[in-house]
Amino acid sequence: MKEEKDDLVHHVNDIPSIPTILLLGFQQMMICLSMLLVVPYLVSGMVCPGDKETEIRVQLISASFVTSGIATLLQTTFGMRLAILHGPSFAYLPVLNTFQATYPCNEQTDTSLWQHKMQMISGSCLVAVLVMPLFGITGLIGFLSKFIGPITIVPIMTLLTISAVPDVEQKMALHWMSSVEFLILVAFIVLLEHWEMPIPAFSFKNKKFYVARRKVLSQFPYIIGIAIGWFICFILTVTNAIPVNSSARTDQNSSIETLRSTPWIHVPIPGQYGTPIVDVSLLCGFIASSFVAMIESIGDYNLCAKLSKQGKIPESNLNRGFIVEGIGCMLSSSFGIGTGVTTYAENIAIMSVTKVSSRITMQVAGLFLLIAGIFSKFSAVLAMIPEPVVGGVLAIGICMVNGVLLRNLMTVDLRLSRNLNIMGISIIMGLTVALHFENNPLKTGNQTVDNVFGTLLTIRMLIGGIIAFILDNVASGATREQRGFRSSDDVGDEEILIENNGYALPSTLNR
């Protein structure tokens, strides 16, 4: 156990050198970059704004960066105080997909109604996410976390990624460049993970040139992969190898005009699309998504604590963490992003590679995100990325989320058929029940009841999560440790040195 505790290069409270802080902070920003782009691209198309789609996309990208930056700074400073990064949550996408099916984009769509749709999404989400800080303030989330283990978390997250498959297919079907982008990222992340790229460098100490070898492709796969995919689209455009109306072209007039007209500095403001409107069916769906996002974060918090060599998370920290995460969700909703925020597991997983769990590196990442969001020309440039490239990024992102979530099973005793059966039942029945009500809409004679329960009964992760939660807490045959809960012997609080205790607030703040 002692050897495991000492393998971190920098602990939570450590302050590395300034170049290290800046480099690692920038790397954390690059890791989440692709995920921050996905929701704005999806939501800007769902509201059917016609020619204004690129303009709205720029605004949503800017708002996503600002929200992510603020939420990350608040979480690392006042919340959990671990190296955690927040960003738009995919848990809300199934509800948005149901909304899009109700208001589809076609030739008969009135594009002037996009603002009303944004107000409905924003208002419903804003009210729904209030459950998160409410559960934190009352301490309910700290109490419930004792009953929510990996056997509940894994089926929920599995069904979440499965629910995103239609979005992945829709984006990748736009153009074959999506498949090219996906294969590029697979090559960087999987096949070339350990390849060290030779990079010419100069040593001022020895006063000579030398060749340094760094794992550049595995450390910055998204930014390099997007750049390559974007460049291929540019070549296809200038050579006219693709049709004029192709989604892979880089010379689309709306994107170029939006870049020219976008101000250099823009600060997103709450209610920027008008007074929020609450839709009952959307509200209920978003409340369910908020619970899913909370369960997802519980798993991510525990994973972060384990990788950071911290003890079991105190209830007070967990409650405080969700109060802060709730504030981030409220900001996200009020800006019109269309989702709450959640913890990004990819940014936590990278700590197992860098062996750095220093809080200040994530705070710098949050600061970078905040600055990038306010610098709206940067958002306008990102909005020009061809949609097929974003489709490939979305595909690999969902694949990575699905892979990272399996880390939760590390503490589960998979030799017990009880554990395997519960997860299998919850995943399959979550898919089956949702599919049934998608094909056979609820008809009770009451329109409101039909809309509300019709939405809830098609949310796969909600149905599967309820089944897994009930069975895991009712069925006997396994101890808490065998169910994946951390035991009191697993890096207890008393084993952590005071200087390495990442949960405690600074003494001045405590006073």
Side-chain angles (χ1 to χ4, degrees):
M1 181 66 70
K2 292 296 182 183
E3 291 180 3
E4 184 183 358
K5 289 177 63 178
D6 294 335
D7 65 351
L8 283 179
V9 178
H10 293 291
H11 288 267
V12 177
N13 296 328
D14 293 348
I15 300 179
S17 63
I18 292 179
T20 301
I21 292 173
L22 295 176
L23 181 62
L24 291 175
F26 179 74
Q27 176 175 258
Q28 291 286 11
M29 175 184 168
M30 290 299 102
I31 289 172
C32 74
L33 182 63
S34 62
M35 308 301 284
L36 292 175
L37 292 176
V38 169
V39 172
Y41 266 79
L42 294 175
V43 174
S44 61
M46 285 179 178
V47 294
C48 317
D51 295 336
K52 290 184 173 290
E53 182 171 343
T54 305
E55 179 184 344
I56 296 170
R57 185 180 299 161
V58 172
Q59 296 169 356
L60 292 180
I61 290 174
S62 176
S64 294
F65 275 77
V66 170
T67 300
S68 181
I70 294 175
T72 299
L73 288 170
L74 290 175
Q75 188 65 266
T76 53
T77 306
F78 304 107
M80 286 292 297
R81 288 185 53 79
L82 300 181
I84 290 170
L85 189 139
H86 283 315
S89 172
F90 281 11
Y92 297 80
L93 291 184
V95 181
L96 290 173
N97 287 333
T98 302
F99 177 80
Q100 186 182 26
T102 307
Y103 301 95
C105 299
N106 50 47
E107 295 178 356
Q108 288 76 38
T109 301
D110 186 354
T111 56
S112 64
L113 295 177
W114 69 267
Q115 199 162 359
H116 178 72
K117 295 177 183 177
M118 290 295 289
Q119 292 167 359
M120 289 173 62
I121 293 173
S122 176
S124 303
C125 192
L126 179 59
V127 176
V129 299
L130 292 177
V131 301
M132 201 172 290
L134 178 64
F135 270 54
I137 291 171
T138 58
L140 279 173
I141 191 64
F143 173 75
L144 289 176
S145 66
K146 299 175 182 177
F147 306 96
I148 300 173
I151 295 176
T152 301
I153 294 170
V154 170
I156 287 178
M157 295 308 299
T158 300
L159 290 166
L160 170 60
T161 54
I162 292 174
S163 298
V165 169
D167 293 315
V168 174
E169 190 278 332
Q170 182 184 23
K171 287 295 181 184
M172 293 198 72
L174 290 173
H175 196 272
W176 52 264
M177 261 307 299
S178 292
S179 299
V180 173
E181 177 67 21
F182 178 77
L183 292 174
I184 290 172
L185 292 171
V186 169
F188 289 173
I189 295 171
V190 180
L191 302 178
L192 300 175
E193 179 185 5
H194 301 292
W195 182 64
E196 297 180 338
M197 178 184 291
I199 303 173
F202 181 78
S203 172
F204 289 96
K205 182 179 181 180
N206 299 323
K207 296 181 180 180
K208 65 176 183 179
F209 286 96
Y210 68 100
V211 177
R213 292 188 173 273
R214 299 288 184 271
K215 297 179 180 179
V216 178
L217 296 182
S218 60
Q219 290 182 334
F220 305 100
Y222 292 108
I223 189 66
I224 298 175
I226 290 174
I228 293 174
W230 202 348
F231 181 71
I232 294 174
C233 288
F234 172 74
I235 296 298
L236 294 174
T237 301
V238 296
T239 58
N240 284 320
I242 51 180
V244 176
N245 60 349
S246 173
S247 58
R249 291 187 72 91
T250 59
D251 60 352
Q252 296 182 12
N253 292 332
S254 60
S255 299
I256 297 173
E257 181 57 34
T258 300
L259 177 62
R260 289 172 181 165
S261 60
T262 299
W264 284 95
I265 303 296
H266 171 71
V267 180
I269 58 174
Q272 58 185 339
Y273 298 113
T275 305
I277 300 171
V278 177
D279 178 83
V280 177
S281 58
L282 260 180
L283 172 63
C284 294
F286 280 143
I287 290 176
S289 296
S290 297
F291 280 111
V292 170
M294 291 166 69
I295 293 173
E296 176 189 359
S297 289
I298 288 174
D300 290 336
Y301 289 166
N302 282 305
L303 176 61
C304 184
K306 190 174 183 65
L307 291 178
S308 303
K309 306 300 181 237
Q310 297 296 304
K312 188 176 180 180
I313 301 175
E315 278 192 39
S316 58
N317 275 74
L318 197 61
N319 293 329
R320 201 167 65 213
F322 278 103
I323 293 173
V324 171
E325 188 169 331
I327 293 172
C329 288
M330 292 163 64
L331 272 177
S332 176
S333 303
S334 63
F335 286 155
I337 296 172
T339 71
V341 300
T342 190
T343 307
Y344 278 178
E346 297 87 341
N347 292 83
I348 296 174
I350 194 66
M351 292 192 300
S352 62
V353 178
T354 62
K355 304 300 180 185
V356 174
S357 64
S358 175
R359 179 189 304 112
I360 195 171
T361 60
M362 204 64 84
Q363 290 171 328
V364 168
L367 189 61
F368 282 161
L369 288 167
L370 182 59
I371 294 172
I374 295 175
F375 184 63
S376 52
K377 284 290 187 186
F378 177 70
S379 300
V381 170
L382 293 179
M384 295 177 66
I385 299 174
E387 283 204 59
V389 174
V390 176
V393 173
L394 171 62
I396 196 69
I398 294 297
C399 293
M400 294 296 290
V401 170
N402 196 56
V404 171
L405 73 87
L406 296 177
R407 293 180 71 107
N408 287 286
L409 294 176
M410 290 169 56
T411 56
V412 177
D413 189 345
L414 297 179
R415 295 170 299 178
L416 293 179
S417 59
R418 176 244 189 223
N419 294 341
L420 298 175
N421 290 338
I422 291 175
M423 289 188 287
I425 291 170
S426 57
I427 291 173
I428 298 302
M429 292 313 298
L431 291 170
T432 304
V433 173
L435 182 61
H436 171 76
F437 284 101
E438 285 175 1
N439 297 331
N440 304 277
L442 195 65
K443 296 178 181 179
T444 62
N446 186 306
Q447 188 63 37
T448 302
V449 173
D450 290 347
N451 289 339
V452 171
F453 286 95
T455 300
L456 295 177
L457 291 171
T458 56
I459 301 177
R460 296 169 176 82
M461 52 198 180
L462 173 65
I463 298 166
I466 291 175
I467 294 172
F469 177 78
I470 293 174
L471 291 179
D472 188 35
N473 286 282
V474 171
S476 59
T479 63
R480 283 183 62 83
E481 287 74 20
Q482 289 174 322
R483 290 165 56 197
F485 290 92
R486 297 184 71 176
S487 66
S488 57
D489 298 328
D490 188 10
V491 193
D493 294 337
E494 69 280 1
E495 298 180 48
I496 301 175
L497 299 175
I498 295 298
E499 59 269 22
N500 292 338
N501 184 0
Y503 298 128
L505 289 166
S507 57
T508 52
L509 194 58
N510 274 326
R511 286 197 295 272

